[in-house]
Amino acid sequence: SAKQQAAEAAAQKKAAEAEAKEAAAAEAAQQRASEASSLAAEASAKRGEAEKVGAAAASESAGIVSTAESAAQAELRAAKERAAAAEAEASREAAGVEREAKERVDAASGALSAAKATSRALENGISERETARAATQKEYDGTFILRFQKRGQLKDEVSRLKKEIKEEAKKLEKADKAVEQASTAFDKQKAYADKQQQVASKLRADAAAAGEKSLAAATKKADSAVADAKKQAAAAVKAAEGKAKALLKEADSLQAKADKLR
């Protein structure tokens, strides 16, 4: 009947509407799930990016500090080598100063020794002649007066010895003056050597002080460079942490949206 047909039509329409509504709900759910999955994937990507940013910053930071420390160590080695070379050169120069002074002292000492040896030899010669003259004079005095030839020979010998003693005395006087001059020259060269020893010591001390000063300056410069590098590295890490934090915040927001869609 018409009434039955109308009821069936109404039922079919209602069923179709329910089916359409169910299909729409399913499609909407699928769309939300897809959007949630996309948001979750994007959140995961943000977290991965944040992790990479942190790792890159850590690597960059370590590289900055390592490079600075290597450069600082190289500079310190170079400073030590320069200081050692300067001290070695100063030591060679000081040794030359000492050697030249010693040669002069040795020469003056040799001259003094030679002068003293000459003087002693003359003194010994005079002493021997004095002894011989006294003995000859005694023999002369004890020889019988009528032994003319013997007395004449002894008298001539005494005269010869007296003459030689006089000549040797003059030589001794000159030799003693030579000793005095050589002694004065030796004292002068000894004073010069003492002064040159001070010069040599100052050369070594100045080189050592300059080396220490140079090394201290190089150390200060190296420490400052490393400290600056550490500050730069810390700044890079801090900036990366800020960027990573922002990325993680975005990831959390995306994940929250994804969770709401599910």
Side-chain angles (χ1 to χ4, degrees):
S1 68
K3 187 176 181 180
Q4 187 177 359
Q5 290 178 351
E8 289 178 357
Q12 288 177 357
K13 181 179 180 182
K14 188 175 181 181
E17 287 176 353
E19 186 178 348
K21 186 176 181 180
E22 186 178 344
E27 184 178 354
Q30 185 177 1
Q31 186 175 354
R32 286 195 305 273
S34 176
E35 186 176 351
S37 178
S38 178
L39 289 169
E42 189 176 353
S44 179
K46 292 289 184 182
R47 290 192 184 92
E49 186 179 353
E51 187 176 343
K52 288 180 181 179
V53 166
S59 177
E60 180 186 2
S61 173
I64 290 171
V65 174
S66 177
T67 299
E69 288 177 340
S70 295
Q73 289 171 1
E75 179 57 30
L76 285 176
R77 282 195 299 271
K80 288 179 181 178
E81 289 173 359
R82 288 193 297 270
E87 287 188 43
E89 178 59 30
S91 182
R92 283 192 292 271
E93 185 178 353
V97 169
E98 291 169 338
R99 184 168 53 254
E100 185 264 347
K102 184 178 183 300
E103 288 172 354
R104 290 173 64 160
V105 169
D106 289 346
S109 177
L112 177 58
S113 296
K116 286 180 177 180
T118 299
S119 179
R120 282 195 299 272
L122 288 168
E123 286 177 348
N124 292 336
I126 291 172
S127 179
E128 290 172 358
R129 286 176 176 83
E130 286 285 3
T131 299
R133 184 200 63 76
T136 304
Q137 181 67 49
K138 183 178 181 181
E139 185 179 357
Y140 173 80
D141 292 340
T143 301
F144 184 60
I145 193 170
L146 296 178
R147 295 184 63 185
F148 300 114
Q149 185 177 1
K150 177 67 174 177
R151 285 171 63 86
Q153 291 174 346
L154 291 171
K155 185 177 181 181
D156 290 342
E157 180 65 11
V158 168
S159 296
R160 183 186 69 78
L161 288 169
K162 284 182 177 180
K163 182 180 179 181
E164 287 184 2
I165 289 169
K166 187 176 181 180
E167 291 174 350
E168 293 300 297
K170 289 180 179 179
K171 291 180 182 179
L172 178 59
E173 184 178 355
K174 291 181 180 180
D176 287 342
K177 287 182 180 179
V179 169
E180 185 178 348
Q181 291 173 348
S183 180
T184 299
F186 174 78
D187 290 342
K188 183 178 180 181
Q189 295 305 324
K190 186 66 172 62
Y192 171 80
D194 291 341
K195 184 178 179 180
Q196 291 303 92
Q197 181 60 60
Q198 293 176 355
V199 171
S201 296
K202 189 174 186 302
L203 284 169
R204 292 190 177 96
D206 287 350
E212 289 177 3
K213 185 177 180 181
S214 175
L215 188 57
T219 300
K220 184 178 180 180
K221 182 179 178 182
D223 290 345
S224 178
V226 171
D228 289 344
K230 287 181 178 179
K231 287 179 182 179
Q232 184 182 350
V237 169
K238 187 175 181 180
E241 286 175 349
K243 186 176 180 181
K245 187 176 181 180
L247 287 168
L248 289 173
K249 187 176 180 180
E250 289 181 40
D252 290 343
S253 177
L254 291 167
Q255 187 63 54
K257 290 178 181 179
D259 291 342
K260 285 181 179 180
L261 289 171
R262 287 173 178 163

